[in-house]
Amino acid sequence: QVQLVESGGASVQAGGSLTLSCATSSYTGNSGCMAWFRQGPGKEREEVATILPGDGRTDYSDSVKGRFTISQDSAKSTVYLRLNSLKPEDTAIYYCAAEGPCPVMAGAHHFYKYYGQGTQVTVSS
């Protein structure tokens, strides 16, 4: 059983930055990719970034490319998501996920096996 615990969500103004963290347990990195998803009010869950553990290959949705960065610290078993140039439309609950496919694809939330509880990001204009 893989456990994922997100942290780092906050309320910020447009143009600001945040770093989200996802602490993992019992995840070896040999069972697929890790990803960050988000779900805004009244919206479907959207995949925004993926990373292949160990290899380090990353991918991003068009909506966040150039503004968000996914990274990993294997020693700490932690995956990060750096959010820059935040916009009000980035407001959502952000979820970390494990054991799923890479790269970013529509409907990916159906294929990831484990999710954390989520962390709220609110961007005000």
Side-chain angles (χ1 to χ4, degrees):
Q1 184 76 11
V2 174
Q3 292 183 328
L4 307 171
V5 180
E6 303 98 332
S7 61
S11 295
V12 297
Q13 291 194 327
S17 298
L18 284 174
T19 298
L20 307 182
S21 301
C22 173
T24 69
S25 66
S26 306
Y27 186 65
T28 64
N30 295 325
S31 300
C33 291
M34 294 195 68
W36 284 94
F37 289 79
R38 67 184 182 185
Q39 189 163 15
K43 297 182 180 179
E44 289 191 355
R45 191 165 294 194
E46 172 194 13
E47 186 176 44
V48 297
T50 61
I51 188 165
L52 182 60
D55 180 271
R57 267 180 286 176
T58 60
D59 192 40
Y60 301 91
S61 67
D62 288 343
S63 60
V64 308
K65 196 171 293 183
R67 300 188 299 122
F68 291 8
T69 303
I70 188 171
S71 61
Q72 61 179 352
D73 182 335
S74 300
K76 296 181 180 180
S77 298
T78 302
V79 175
Y80 302 96
L81 186 68
R82 176 68 177 176
L83 294 67
N84 292 328
S85 302
L86 281 162
K87 306 174 182 179
E89 52 263 43
D90 294 319
T91 294
I93 300 173
Y94 284 71
Y95 298 91
C96 178
E99 294 194 17
C102 284
V104 170
M105 57 182 281
H109 60 283
H110 296 297
F111 302 108
Y112 271 78
K113 187 172 182 180
Y114 299 104
Y115 285 91
Q117 82 289 348
T119 187
Q120 176 72 47
V121 173
T122 302
V123 185
S124 57
S125 57

